[in-house]
Amino acid sequence: MEKINEMNIKTASCPSQLRITDMRFTDIVGAPMDCTILRIDTNQGISGYGEIRDFSNRFYALELKRLILGENPCGINRIFRKIRQFGGHARQGGGVSGIEAALWDLAGKAYGIPVYQMLGGKCRDSIRIYCDTDVGGKHTGSDMGRALRSRMDSGYTMLKMDLGVDLLVNVEGALNAPLGYVERMRRFDQEELSFGITDKRYADFMSVPHPFTGLSITETGLDYLEDYVKQARDMVGYEIPLAIDHIGHVNYQTCLKLARRLEKFNIFWMEDCVPWFYTEQWKALSDHTCIPMCTGEDIFGREAFRPLIDNRAVSVIHPDVLTAGGIGETLHIITMAEEKGIAAAVHMAETPVGCMAAAHVCAAAGDNLLAMEYHAHDVDWWDSMVKGSTQPIVDRGWLKLKDRPGLGIEELDDEVLVSHINPQRPGLWKSTDEWDHEWSHDRIWS
């Protein structure tokens, strides 16, 4: 709907009269993770897209529908202040964050401008993408190196790989833990269907914080990982930045020993060595190794980032827009880090909706922005989720934002979504009317 106002300025709608009328969802698999896309509809036929964090659940957003119906989506700050108390860390931040991203998309479409322009404009025309790389099954460091090399051949100028206890589960004498613990890890490794986030036994097993598992890596294990990294580096060389992730639920002393072993390989950062809330342990790691420390994908809200930033406990913060609180909150967090001389990289493992939400933040972020993560290089149908897509969103290791309203996604392709519907959560944009009139006394003070 287009209208001409009294000043003959063309706008995409009547923003002051825009109202939220509905919120619906579609759950898909393999994109590259299991993801939930949300759509907020309005009285003027404009819809905005958001996304709930990978491996989360739509109920984190459904419980908030009662708070946003009838609101003007252009009042992003007002709505965010209403719903932010219901956000939590990790996947529990998905509802608040996904709704917030959809509001920016709606506001941009209403005013006919890109989200990055509403954030103050672009600081960069193209966003560097670093490619997370995984090699399934039993493999060597050389196998990983070849996979990383193929990423370089595809144009990526930064890389990341997993390195940790998962590689050592079946290496004799590589892990030290209370008797029976490693055997249980091996059973999960062998039961491929059970070794996943959605398996309750595995989820319970992995819910013990790192310092309390009693698990550490032996000298044999450290030798193995050191040789693994050497093999990978021999394949890709030493000029390209290479970060490592998924160390495992080991104590920070083990992470420190590993870091010292790997310093000679010029590791770009070590990620999520210990839970993000152990600020003093992060500080100890940062102070006693030359490898930069990185964490943040599971943190909701700027205040939770503040101890890491104020204490300079890490060298790189790593927010995920779909956990941190959305687009506006993530940009604020990156700015906070820049003021303390801390770099930022944006975590992103979702569909084109989550990707574009992260990309607009990256475009507007300051000089401390290093790159944005990308997991979907091998998902050949990923770009086709955007209706009418003819060009790849990520091209040769870079993402260039176009001058399009909102997030830049006019419409998603329902036919593509249907072909990848999550069988555990079937249905395309099904009605959520039963959530319209839920009520709770939400005030947290008397």
Side-chain angles (χ1 to χ4, degrees), residues 391-403:
Q391 299 295 323
I393 294 173
V394 175
D395 187 19
R396 300 290 299 174
W398 294 87
L399 189 155
K400 187 178 179 66
L401 283 172
K402 298 179 180 178
D403 188 17

Side-chain angles (χ1 to χ4, degrees), residues 73 76-77 99-109 113 115 118-119 326-329 406-407:
I76 300 170
N77 288 340
I99 289 172
E100 195 265 9
L103 298 177
W104 283 99
D105 189 31
L106 274 167
K109 288 173 177 175
I113 56 175
V115 168
M118 294 189 291
L119 295 174
I327 289 171
E329 193 76 352
L407 294 178

Side-chain angles (χ1 to χ4, degrees), residues 115-146:
V115 168
Y116 65 73
Q117 197 62 55
M118 294 189 291
L119 295 174
K122 290 189 292 186
C123 288
R124 53 188 56 78
D125 291 324
S126 296
I127 299 155
R128 188 188 305 275
I129 303 297
Y130 77 86
C131 194
D132 199 310
T133 306
D134 184 32
V135 178
K138 186 175 177 59
H139 67 279
T140 66
S142 294
D143 295 329
M144 174 58 78
R146 280 186 282 273

Side-chain angles (χ1 to χ4, degrees), residues 184-358:
R184 193 175 180 191
M185 291 176 65
R186 288 172 181 157
R187 285 199 300 273
F188 281 122
D189 191 38
Q190 292 164 3
E191 300 172 24
E192 294 183 5
L193 294 178
S194 294
F195 192 77
I197 293 173
T198 57
D199 186 279
K200 186 178 185 302
R201 293 173 303 150
Y202 179 69
D204 289 345
F205 180 68
M206 295 298 289
S207 293
V208 179
H210 301 46
F212 313 132
T213 62
L215 178 66
S216 63
I217 301 175
T218 67
E219 291 300 312
T220 297
L222 293 171
D223 288 342
Y224 186 97
L225 295 179
E226 181 178 345
D227 184 62
Y228 182 97
V229 176
K230 182 180 185 305
Q231 292 178 40
R233 266 299 188 196
D234 285 345
M235 296 296 297
V236 303
Y238 285 77
E239 294 182 358
I240 188 167
L242 175 62
I244 59 174
D245 189 12
H246 290 290
I247 312 302
H249 288 195
V250 297
N251 56 37
Y252 86 93
Q253 292 91 342
T254 294
C255 292
L256 181 56
K257 287 195 290 186
L258 177 61
R260 287 172 171 168
R261 288 284 199 107
L262 302 183
E263 286 177 348
K264 55 180 164 288
F265 299 114
N266 200 38
I267 300 301
F268 199 46
W269 70 62
M270 281 179 67
E271 185 176 328
D272 293 336
C273 297
V274 295
W276 59 266
F277 41 82
Y278 292 130
T279 303
E280 292 182 357
Q281 292 186 20
W282 280 108
K283 182 66 172 172
L285 286 168
S286 292
D287 287 347
H288 293 94
T289 178
C290 297
I291 295 181
M293 292 292 129
C294 170
T295 195
E297 69 174 84
D298 295 317
I299 305 178
F300 176 81
R302 67 187 74 171
E303 290 306 315
F305 274 90
R306 195 176 299 279
L308 289 167
I309 292 172
D310 287 350
N311 289 283
R312 294 182 175 86
V314 293
S315 296
V316 184
I317 58 153
H318 197 225
D320 188 304
V321 172
L322 301 183
T323 280
I327 289 171
E329 193 76 352
T330 303
L331 182 59
H332 191 98
I333 290 161
I334 293 172
T335 302
M336 284 171 51
E338 183 178 25
E339 293 170 353
K340 296 289 186 178
I342 296 172
V346 172
H347 179 270
M348 196 287 296
E350 290 89 22
T351 75
V353 175
C355 175
M356 295 307 290

